[in-house]
Amino acid sequence: MEEPRRRIRAQYTPSTVTVYQAYAPDIGLPAARDGRFPPAWKRDRMTWVKPSFLWMMHRSGWGAKDGQQTVLAVEITREGFAWALERACLSHHDPDVHPDRDAWRRALAQAPARVQWDPERDLHLRPLPHRSLQLGLRGEAARRYADAWTVGITDVTPLAHEVRALVRAGRTDEAARLLPAERPYPVGPGALAHLVP
């Protein structure tokens, strides 16, 4: 069965969904140690979360890029994730969703969350034809993410390095077996109509 061009794929449980971020060790290590973001984590800044492990590997260079050496798996409530999606706006104007650019700009200015659909990646971090969700959180959404929705934070940097080493050694089947079990994320009918043109 062919993949839809845009669909949320994630690792999830009945009550939580896992998203990924990468930080410098001074943020990432205390967050993983304490299971919550430290005071140095800026709650007044836009923060982007990704349910796709391989997209995070693309973005962080397998956790090797400066300032992204600590890759975190952040388990948040599905209720919080739904709250953000419901109130999100596309990060770019799309005429199939917004009647004109001014309407989109007004919606974007008011939205506590925004969505980008970026090409999913394979094990070699090459772009695939279908796209994965990036969810930007700001203001109220960022504060809720850090202080209410987060139920656990795990440092998955060792996993990132292990998968990369296997891929580089040509052992892609072994690498694939280590990947988080991401699958299509269930959303209600029409729940993403304002985000999927």
Side-chain angles (χ1 to χ4, degrees), residues 72-130:
L72 301 178
V74 184
E75 200 173 6
I76 65 172
T77 65
R78 286 178 61 170
E79 183 180 2
F81 192 58
W83 186 96
L85 289 174
E86 182 181 328
R87 292 161 179 80
C89 178
L90 285 173
S91 61
H92 65 280
H93 174 251
D94 190 300
D96 293 330
V97 176
H98 301 102
D100 55 55
R101 287 189 176 274
D102 287 339
W104 164 71
R105 287 190 188 100
R106 286 193 299 273
L108 188 66
Q110 295 171 2
R114 59 185 61 177
V115 159
Q116 289 180 190
W117 295 98
D118 294 302
E120 181 56 280
R121 301 283 160 164
D122 67 11
L123 271 169
H124 298 280
L125 307 186
R126 297 172 299 210
L128 294 170
H130 53 275

Side-chain angles (χ1 to χ4, degrees), residues 12-108:
Y12 60 90
T13 72
S15 59
T16 64
V17 57
T18 298
V19 296
Y20 298 94
Q21 295 192 287
Y23 290 100
D26 63 325
I27 296 286
L29 294 179
R33 181 191 66 222
D34 300 333
R36 57 187 168 79
F37 289 102
W41 191 87
K42 300 286 192 285
R43 284 157 174 76
D44 56 348
R45 290 177 56 184
M46 174 77 75
T47 188
W48 289 90
V49 302
K50 300 98 176 156
S52 166
F53 178 80
L54 286 175
W55 204 95
M56 187 71 257
M57 296 305 97
H58 160 69
R59 180 69 180 83
S60 68
W62 298 100
K65 288 184 180 176
D66 188 45
Q68 299 186 59
Q69 303 98 317
T70 309
V71 183
L72 301 178
V74 184
E75 200 173 6
I76 65 172
T77 65
R78 286 178 61 170
E79 183 180 2
F81 192 58
W83 186 96
L85 289 174
E86 182 181 328
R87 292 161 179 80
C89 178
L90 285 173
S91 61
H92 65 280
H93 174 251
D94 190 300
D96 293 330
V97 176
H98 301 102
D100 55 55
R101 287 189 176 274
D102 287 339
W104 164 71
R105 287 190 188 100
R106 286 193 299 273
L108 188 66

